[in-house]
Amino acid sequence: MTHPNQTSSAKERVLIFDTTLRDGEQCPGATMTFEEKLEIADALDAMGVDIIEAGFPIASEGDFEAVSAIARRIGRASVAGLARAIGADIARAGEAVRHAARPRIHTFVSVSPIHLEHQMRKSQQEVLDIITATVTQARNLVEDVEWSGMDSTRTPIDYLCRAVETAIKAGATTINLPDTVGYATPDEYRAMFKAVRERVPNADKAIFSAHCHNDLGLAVANSLAALEGGVRQIECTINGIGERAGNAALEEIVMALKVRGDTLPYETGIDSTHLMRVSKAVSTACSFPVQYNKAIVGRNAFAHESGIHQDGMLKNNTTYEIMTPASVGVTKTSLVMGKHSGRAAFRSKLKEMGYALGDNQLEDAFTRFKALADRKKHVYDEDIEALVDDNIATANDRIRLESLTVIAGTRGPQRATMKLDVEGRSVTEEAEGNGPIDAVFNAIAAIVPHEARLELYDVHAVTEGTDAQAEVTVRLARDGASVTGRGADPDTLVASAKAYLSALNKLIARGGRLHAQAAE
């Protein structure tokens, strides 16, 4: 394993540990399919991520299969599987990553008094014994073992040092001290790492890692502060997705180190020109829109509306931009395709935009593109992205929209007539509603009865113009679990139906029963 301090420049190397596929997927509603996980893992590897935490193998058979598949296909990055400090967990993680070129087992246990008393119900010595046994077990399976002390920032420093020393002595090569509940401030987090590294006698035998949650909006600030405390691995997610308020955002950390190298003398192996494309891939897979004003990858990150700002930009773009759009993979919206464009031009455009589709996917995407070009006057890059991402996201759906007709206006009730392909069978239904959207969703429920509750409905335009594609996001909840779906179409009602069906398909994929009406 390459030590992070080995670098060709004066800057010290920081390892980027991406946990989008594990911690990110724990974000309510952010479930990804098997195929989406493989696609994202490939994108992370191509971008230069050092360690990909591919999942929690003991959690489900699906998680195990995804981690195993990613371990087999990733050739450059280390592939990690998460495991609790339980023998069965560690064995399962070891089995999942054993085919990786660089396998890692990441095991964790609670160390704070509040966790030990209320969750673990163990004494401090019992937890130390657990650390010895489980880290030793993991080290016997793989050479690269990461140990995490859950809730480290609320743990007395004396006991935290004992736990770290125990983990390293048992064979841990990376020590992660997470801010599990997003409680720490930058000064506190920096001081914690500094104290542990100074007081633990075998600290030089491990790489220290930061893992921060964003409950107080300090995840990125805490991660950067940890570098000054001796951390050389940062754990983060694309778009900052994750439990509760999310994790430290990979794109923000990478660009902070790149732009402010004068005060942060560290470097990563990330090719930042991939950031926007990977951000969009994760957003599509999770059906989680990126907020417009999100740093680095938000659609407004390089937009300037203020007259003063625009004046400065026209004179010199460095007046209001501290990084170039191209440095994070942002290209200017451009009219590039039309209804007369052929397959070769379409394939070339997709390659330029970072897509690599198989023959069948390409043919389906091209058919959709031609249909869109016939309906829409101008086809922009964003239109093609929405079209292709929607195509990829629905590739394995069991329920598909065939046709939709809606009667709406001031004289209600509004009515929707819908035809769905349900596992190869065409089913048609009409339904009324309090507005056209309600009618559309009622028609879906009439064909595919379910008990899911609508938690979120959001719509925005992909590009400018009255003929712009609408991108709709729908979140459904059932039995305490949430899933999010997204759909795009020039017709807002069609996009709404696609988004609802996308979410419904995800619920079914998670074990929901499918009871549809008889076919026509």
Side-chain angles (χ1 to χ4, degrees):
M1 183 177 69
T2 302
H3 194 278
N5 290 344
Q6 293 177 352
T7 176
S8 57
S9 70
K11 295 182 179 181
E12 291 192 67
R13 178 78 151 81
V14 175
L15 299 176
I16 296 297
F17 177 112
D18 183 275
T19 184
T20 301
L21 298 175
R22 200 277 302 171
D23 208 340
E25 203 194 16
Q26 291 177 212
C27 180
T31 306
M32 304 177 208
T33 66
F34 178 84
E35 291 77 13
E36 288 166 343
K37 289 181 180 181
L38 298 187
E39 178 192 353
I40 290 169
D42 288 342
L44 293 172
D45 192 42
M47 185 169 65
V49 165
D50 297 288
I51 304 100
I52 299 171
E53 187 164 55
F56 198 171
I58 198 72
S60 69
E61 186 62 28
D63 244 33
F64 176 83
E65 293 298 335
V67 176
S68 298
I70 292 169
R72 286 182 170 91
R73 71 192 284 135
I74 298 301
R76 191 200 55 78
S78 298
V79 176
L82 185 69
R84 294 168 297 182
I86 298 172
D89 276 42
I90 292 169
R92 190 68 166 162
E95 176 65 20
V97 301
R98 68 189 180 92
H99 294 295
R102 279 169 287 281
R104 173 181 291 195
I105 293 176
H106 178 195
T107 182
F108 69 96
V109 69
S110 293
V111 291
S112 69
I114 191 169
H115 278 216
L116 264 60
E117 179 182 354
H118 298 290
Q119 187 174 14
M120 294 284 291
R121 297 185 179 179
K122 301 282 186 183
S123 69
Q124 289 187 345
Q125 186 55 52
E126 286 176 317
V127 170
L128 293 178
D129 293 340
I130 289 171
I131 293 171
T132 297
T134 52
V135 172
T136 298
Q137 178 190 359
R139 187 58 190 267
N140 286 334
L141 296 174
V142 296
E143 292 184 5
D144 187 6
V145 175
E146 176 171 341
W147 175 82
S148 290
M150 191 156 66
D151 207 20
S152 288
T153 53
R154 296 192 296 176
T155 301
I157 196 67
D158 289 343
Y159 182 63
L160 185 60
C161 288
R162 289 175 62 196
V164 169
E165 182 178 0
T166 300
I168 296 174
K169 188 178 295 183
T173 51
T174 298
I175 297 294
N176 179 41
L177 303 181
D179 185 22
T180 303
V181 294
Y183 181 74
T185 64
D187 283 343
E188 290 171 341
Y189 204 47
R190 179 194 305 111
M192 180 193 72
F193 279 105
K194 186 174 185 293
V196 170
R197 293 180 65 250
E198 287 176 348
R199 293 174 56 173
V200 173
N202 54 2
D204 61 324
K205 293 181 171 59
I207 295 168
F208 280 76
S209 178
H211 179 115
C212 299
H213 282 265
N214 207 37
D215 298 73
L216 293 176
L218 296 172
V220 170
N222 284 339
S223 299
L224 296 176
L227 294 174
E228 297 179 29
V231 157
R232 293 298 179 267
Q233 175 181 289
I234 293 180
E235 307 192 3
C236 42
T237 62
I238 300 296
N239 299 335
I241 65 170
E243 291 187 89
R244 306 186 310 280
N247 291 50
L250 180 149
E251 61 277 3
E252 295 178 24
I253 289 166
V254 167
M255 293 311 294
L257 296 180
K258 186 169 184 176
V259 173
R260 293 309 311 273
D262 54 333
T263 61
L264 296 167
Y266 313 99
E267 66 179 9
T268 71
I270 300 295
D271 181 348
S272 65
T273 62
H274 290 229
L275 287 173
M276 182 58 75
R277 178 67 215 127
V278 178
S279 168
K280 288 180 178 178
V282 170
S283 175
T284 298
C286 297
S287 297
F288 262 49
V290 176
Q291 68 188 66
Y292 286 7
N293 64 334
K294 168 76 173 65
I296 315 300
V297 294
R299 67 186 298 175
N300 287 353
F302 296 96
H304 304 272
E305 186 169 333
S306 161
I308 295 173
H309 285 218
Q310 289 177 348
D311 178 67
M313 285 294 294
L314 289 171
K315 292 172 180 175
N316 188 316
N317 62 359
T318 60
T319 53
Y320 289 100
E321 284 187 353
I322 60 174
M323 66 195 106
T324 65
S327 69
V328 298
V330 175
T331 57
K332 185 178 180 181
T333 300
S334 57
L335 179 64
V336 292
M337 302 292 289
K339 63 182 180 180
H340 299 298
S341 300
R343 283 179 179 78
F346 186 65
R347 185 193 297 271
S348 177
K349 183 60 186 175
L350 291 181
K351 184 177 181 181
E352 175 189 322
M353 295 170 66
Y355 290 102
L357 304 184
D359 290 341
N360 291 338
Q361 282 184 313
L362 177 67
E363 187 63 28
D364 193 16
F366 181 70
T367 300
R368 293 191 185 201
F369 160 71
K370 296 294 278 189
L372 177 64
D374 282 335
R375 299 172 64 189
K376 195 174 185 298
K377 184 176 180 181
H378 299 308
V379 180
Y380 295 93
D381 289 3
E382 291 88 343
D383 290 313
I384 296 174
E385 286 175 344
L387 180 150
V388 176
D389 288 340
D390 185 51
N391 187 31
I392 293 172
T394 60
N396 298 292
D397 284 356
R398 295 167 63 184
I399 309 169
R400 297 172 182 270
L401 177 67
E402 288 191 358
S403 65
L404 173 65
T405 302
V406 180
I407 300 174
T410 56
R411 295 183 179 180
Q414 287 70 37
R415 175 172 290 273
T417 303
M418 177 177 290
K419 179 187 288 188
L420 297 182
D421 180 319
V422 184
E423 296 184 317
R425 300 178 296 116
S426 288
V427 185
T428 301
E429 184 60 67
E430 291 187 3
E432 293 182 349
N434 183 22
I437 300 298
D438 189 45
V440 168
F441 291 173
N442 287 342
I444 294 174
I447 297 174
V448 188
H450 59 83
E451 298 176 355
R453 176 172 52 88
L454 180 65
E455 282 191 331
L456 171 73
Y457 173 80
D458 179 71
V459 58
H460 72 270
V462 174
T463 59
E464 72 274 8
T466 56
D467 64 348
Q469 285 196 94
E471 193 167 64
V472 176
T473 301
V474 165
R475 183 181 300 161
L476 298 179
R478 186 187 62 193
D479 300 331
S482 297
V483 295
T484 307
R486 193 158 67 176
D489 194 88
D491 187 317
T492 304
L493 298 177
V494 173
S496 300
K498 288 181 176 180
Y500 196 100
L501 290 171
S502 173
L504 192 56
N505 274 292
K506 289 183 179 181
L507 276 180
I508 294 169
R510 295 181 65 168
R513 289 170 295 183
L514 178 57
H515 298 299
Q517 290 187 5
E520 288 183 330

